[in-house]
Amino acid sequence: MIEVVAELSRGPVFLAGEALECVVTVTNPLPPTATSASSEALAWASAQIHCQFHASESRVALPPPDSSQPDVQPESQTVFLPHRGERGQCILSTPPKILFCDLRLDPGESKSYSYSEVLPIEGPPSFRGQSVKYVYKLTIGCQRVNSPITLLRVPLRVLVLTGLQDTRFPQDEAIAPSSPFLEEDEDLYNISDGRGKVGTFGIFKSVYRLGEDVVGTLNLGEGTVACLQFSVSLQTEEHVQPEYQRRRGAGGAPSVSHVTHARHQESCLHTTRTSFSLPIPLSSTPGFCTAIVSLKWRLHFEFVTSREPGLVLLPPLEQPEPVTWTGPEQVPVDTFSWDLPIKVLPTSPTLVSYAAPGPSTSTITI
């Protein structure tokens, strides 16, 4: 019996383009007092990083797979296939590296080997969405003589830094007349519906990193239409590219899905100024785009306004004698919504590993 341990000393989170370092320790767990006949041997061990892709059949229409490349490796073969038995397709892999050959360990003896590889920059980030999944793993294959290959898989999380040449969303496109938000400058917006101005909204920036807070302010004191309630949600929008969308008539699910990561709701009648703060989870995925799917971030606003001009729902401040005052049982309202795009970039992988720790050590017994 041989125990193989793979340890990522810095944690399981990396930026694409960084060097991954892993220490692989092979041990004969028998006590040193055992006889020499209890020594164990391995023929070889190799390591390789690969990215596995899986798509939802109800949302994504993929071309037929190549049947000439089987996904299951026969037990009798000695070919190192890291994605053997994995779900989906292997879309990216690094060249395999040999860790050792013809290793023999006496009882209680252990040896360590270092593996280093640069994560490819052309791959997608780690992502588990409703339409597609991109999963990275470091796979270590070991084999005894005349025995099947044993695979040890170490899960990884890869962050991809893209779009630095466009750190601000373009604002030169004409806004449709039906939009309730009319832009004044880089970070001030008028909020209006079909009957007048509701207030103004301000945001301090439009580009964030994982772990930061999205802070915005809402000024309702200048409005001519009473706002009864508002909510703002921090959401991601997963969109399947048009050429891979499955037709709805063929039983396909919607090509666009949304996930809410944080939400703020407030009753704001007679409120002149308020603010909100929405944290961006470290466990979420920054925006990205591949040939099959794109992920974008946005703030989704919903407003409830009164149809009655000059609505007042407070009792008079001065009355000659005590009276009982009750508010109206029904108030006619209108609702409208709007989406404001923002950009979310990766942060330090060390910070992500510390705040949202994942397994950095994997063990297998051969």
Side-chain angles (χ1 to χ4, degrees):
M1 180 175 64
I2 294 180
E3 183 182 71
V4 182
V5 179
E7 181 179 6
L8 302 170
S9 57
R10 208 201 66 182
V13 184
F14 299 87
L15 273 174
E18 277 192 310
L20 176 149
E21 295 184 355
C22 178
V23 177
V24 180
T25 303
V26 186
T27 305
N28 184 341
L30 292 177
T33 56
T35 62
S36 59
S38 301
S39 63
E40 298 282 356
L42 285 179
W44 58 266
S46 294
Q48 187 176 14
I49 299 172
H50 62 101
C51 177
Q52 216 56 26
F53 165 74
H54 173 71
S56 170
E57 295 182 357
S58 63
R59 295 174 179 269
V60 182
L62 294 177
D66 186 2
S67 58
S68 63
Q69 298 181 355
D71 187 53
V72 179
Q73 173 188 346
E75 293 290 340
S76 60
Q77 292 186 1
T78 58
V79 178
F80 176 42
L81 192 63
H83 58 279
R84 180 189 65 187
E86 290 277 84
R87 189 180 183 186
Q89 306 172 16
C90 180
I91 61 171
L92 182 146
S93 61
T94 60
K97 291 185 177 180
I98 297 177
L99 299 178
F100 59 81
C101 293
D102 298 328
L103 174 66
R104 181 172 293 276
L105 297 173
D106 293 329
E109 185 181 6
S110 66
K111 290 187 177 181
S112 296
Y113 302 87
S114 296
Y115 170 79
S116 179
E117 184 61 85
V118 176
L119 289 159
I121 60 174
E122 66 271 13
S126 298
F127 178 64
R128 294 181 179 271
Q130 299 185 32
S131 299
V132 302
K133 292 179 175 61
Y134 296 105
V135 180
Y136 282 84
K137 292 181 182 179
L138 165 63
T139 300
I140 300 169
C142 305
Q143 186 180 28
R144 291 176 178 267
V145 177
N146 298 324
S147 299
I149 296 176
T150 302
L151 300 180
L152 171 61
R153 294 188 172 105
V154 184
L156 308 173
R157 182 183 176 191
V158 177
L159 304 175
V160 177
L161 186 60
T162 59
L164 289 182
Q165 71 279 5
D166 181 25
T167 57
R168 302 190 69 87
F169 278 88
Q171 300 289 350
D172 55 354
E173 298 181 359
I175 300 179
S178 59
S179 173
F181 285 68
L182 302 177
E183 181 182 351
E184 291 182 334
D185 50 37
E186 292 183 349
D187 51 13
L188 287 175
Y189 298 85
N190 280 335
I191 307 171
S192 61
D193 60 9
R195 293 173 290 105
K197 184 176 181 179
V198 177
T200 58
F201 168 72
I203 190 170
F204 297 101
K205 59 181 181 178
S206 60
V207 180
Y208 301 85
R209 294 183 299 177
L210 293 178
E212 291 186 331
D213 293 338
V214 180
V215 180
T217 60
L218 196 63
N219 189 342
L220 302 173
E222 304 174 355
T224 58
V225 178
C227 183
L228 307 181
Q229 179 178 287
F230 82 93
S231 67
V232 55
S233 301
L234 177 64
Q235 296 181 339
T236 49
E237 181 181 77
E238 181 184 356
H239 184 270
V240 179
Q241 304 292 9
E243 57 268 33
Y244 293 99
Q245 293 178 6
R246 188 171 294 277
R247 295 182 179 180
R248 296 295 302 275
S255 60
V256 179
S257 56
H258 300 93
V259 174
T260 299
H261 300 274
R263 187 172 187 267
H264 174 86
Q265 180 173 314
E266 185 175 336
S267 297
C268 53
L269 182 63
H270 304 299
T271 299
T272 58
R273 188 177 181 86
T274 186
S275 63
F276 64 85
S277 178
L278 301 176
I280 303 176
L282 287 168
S283 59
S284 57
T285 302
F288 70 94
C289 181
T290 66
I292 298 177
V293 72
S294 66
L295 185 75
K296 298 180 180 180
W297 287 77
R298 70 179 189 179
L299 293 177
H300 177 70
F301 295 87
E302 295 180 355
F303 289 90
V304 180
T305 58
S306 170
R307 294 180 183 176
E308 298 181 358
L311 177 66
V312 177
L313 296 181
L314 293 178
L317 297 179
E318 296 182 1
Q319 296 190 20
E321 56 184 28
V323 295
T324 300
W325 180 89
T326 57
E329 296 182 357
Q330 295 183 349
V331 177
V333 298
D334 287 325
T335 61
F336 63 93
S337 62
W338 189 71
D339 299 322
L340 177 66
I342 62 172
K343 196 167 190 177
V344 175
L345 302 176
T347 188
S348 167
T350 305
L351 176 62
V352 177
S353 299
Y354 176 78
S360 58
T361 302
S362 298
T363 305
I364 195 173
T365 301
I366 305 175

